[in-house]
Amino acid sequence: MDPRPNGAPSTSQRWWPPVMLDPDWVSAHHEDFDVFHLHFGFDAQSPAQLSALVDALRRHGKPLVYTVHDLRNPHQPDPAAHDAALDVVIPAADHLVTLTPGAARSIRGRWNRTATVLPHPHVVDLTRLSRPRPDRDRFRVGVHAKSLRPNMSVLPVVRVLADTVAQLPDAELRVNIHHEVADPASPSHAPQVLTALAELADQGRITLTVHDYYDDEQLWDYLESLDLSVLPYLFGTHSGWLEACHDLGTAVAAPDCGFYAQQRPCLTYGHSQEHGLDGESLRRAVLRAYEERPASRARVQHRMQERDELAAAHRALYASVL
């Protein structure tokens, strides 16, 4: 578990840069670990701070393993800061891991480094994963706007979906968003988005739900209530949301930016920061989901085998860098 900084209580939901990214922490605790494996959490670290971390690890003879989940940070509209961080971490890592062949090719092209491709493990617990999906008589499409992350373009996607779903018998469009979007004190405050969504709801074109963050069980219930979850991303690389949908048997329509289609089976539509939204491809993805009802659900046995294989692969790569 990541140590709490500044005496933060164990129940705190506040995000902070992991204490273990501090070179002083490495110097104080280098005898407590063998390998430093980085995944996320260095958004707030400058290239100089990351270089100091790398130097501390080298000084104490501790190998660095980095799993490249994000070639493009979904929380940062400008890629420059994340690119600068990757320019420190990727060349310095003793071993790189990523989730898809496309990401590995990008890493090879940009940094001339080889990354081992390993799949993302299941995110839904195995007991819940084995539970049958609930029956229902309507086709339900969902967009979860969360707290309007910078990589989301919600309104254009929702408008195309509303037009498409309105033409389908026994179909509905549900849009979820967090309460903090309506809070003037929140960094996520976006009253114009909420107003536009409320207007669509008043017109009967969407069902709008404004709520607090879901816990895991609430999130799994929500995802199981959908036949199709549409990811409204303009940029990104991989997706834990996609993994959860795969665990629960909910079809996904993912944008063609990033490497979502290589991560798990999904429908794809055109959507990127460079080219904007291809509404026709989104419409086709919804129609295909409606007509074919694709349900690429993970099997418990396969997820268990996959987890065992991932554990063995990590053990081998850790041994190779020690």
Side-chain angles (χ1 to χ4, degrees):
M1 180 178 290
D2 181 41
R4 282 3 192 179
N6 303 321
S10 61
T11 55
S12 174
Q13 297 301 306
R14 178 174 61 87
W15 182 87
W16 52 78
V19 173
M20 288 177 284
L21 296 178
D22 186 338
D24 290 339
W25 185 92
V26 172
S27 295
H29 296 274
H30 64 92
E31 294 182 354
D32 300 333
F33 67 93
D34 298 304
V35 177
F36 194 97
H37 193 158
L38 182 63
H39 289 261
F40 299 108
F42 54 90
D43 309 47
Q45 308 302 106
S46 69
Q49 289 172 314
L50 291 171
S51 294
L53 170 67
V54 168
D55 289 344
L57 292 170
R58 287 175 174 163
R59 188 163 57 251
H60 295 288
K62 300 299 176 180
L64 170 63
V65 175
Y66 175 40
T67 295
V68 188
H69 293 271
D70 295 324
L71 285 165
R72 181 73 192 273
N73 191 315
H75 302 283
Q76 297 172 343
D78 185 342
H82 193 62
D83 286 347
L86 295 181
D87 283 341
V88 174
V89 176
I90 288 180
D94 295 279
H95 199 108
L96 296 169
V97 178
T98 194
L99 306 182
T100 57
R105 285 193 295 272
S106 181
I107 292 165
R108 166 66 73 178
R110 290 172 65 179
W111 293 281
N112 196 29
R113 293 294 312 273
T114 299
T116 300
V117 178
L118 296 174
H120 196 295
H122 64 91
V123 297
V124 176
D125 67 86
L126 295 175
T127 300
R128 180 65 187 256
L129 196 152
S130 64
R131 187 187 304 177
R133 283 176 62 86
D135 294 325
R136 59 181 167 276
D137 56 4
R138 304 204 75 195
F139 177 76
R140 184 175 295 161
V141 179
V143 175
H144 202 310
K146 306 181 188 178
S147 297
L148 297 178
R149 259 183 356 198
N151 75 328
M152 289 189 173
S153 179
V154 172
L155 289 178
V157 168
V158 167
R159 289 186 175 118
V160 171
L161 292 174
D163 290 342
T164 304
V165 171
Q167 301 170 17
L168 303 176
D170 298 319
E172 65 176 319
L173 173 59
R174 295 203 165 193
V175 179
N176 287 51
I177 197 166
H178 289 151
H179 271 132
E180 62 185 2
V181 175
D183 180 2
S186 169
S188 300
H189 186 225
Q192 72 283 1
V193 174
L194 206 54
T195 298
L197 292 175
E199 289 174 354
L200 290 170
D202 290 342
Q203 296 164 9
R205 303 182 69 201
I206 69 172
T207 299
L208 177 63
T209 303
V210 184
H211 58 87
D212 292 327
Y213 284 74
Y214 285 151
D215 63 24
D216 284 351
E217 287 303 311
Q218 290 171 323
L219 180 57
W220 307 155
D221 288 344
Y222 162 75
L223 291 177
E224 278 192 333
S225 76
L226 304 178
D227 295 285
L228 177 67
S229 180
V230 179
L231 308 184
Y233 304 158
L234 274 170
F235 55 87
T237 312
H238 302 115
S239 170
W241 191 275
L242 175 60
E243 292 290 341
C245 287
H246 181 59
D247 285 340
L248 296 168
T250 299
V252 170
D256 58 2
C257 60
F259 303 102
Y260 306 109
Q262 294 184 15
Q263 186 179 343
R264 295 295 171 188
C266 61
L267 301 165
T268 302
Y269 70 99
H271 199 201
S272 68
Q273 198 169 34
E274 296 78 15
H275 304 294
L277 173 63
D278 179 356
E280 178 58 26
S281 67
L282 177 56
R283 188 186 73 84
R284 289 195 303 267
V286 174
L287 293 179
R288 181 179 170 189
Y290 180 80
E291 292 164 0
E292 300 180 9
R293 307 295 167 103
S296 176
R297 185 173 189 178
R299 293 181 295 107
V300 172
Q301 182 178 3
H302 177 261
R303 281 301 213 181
M304 290 177 65
Q305 178 183 347
E306 185 179 63
R307 190 173 68 180
D308 289 344
E309 292 171 350
L310 283 168
H314 279 81
R315 184 180 183 87
L317 77 85
Y318 292 155
S320 73
V321 298
L322 286 173

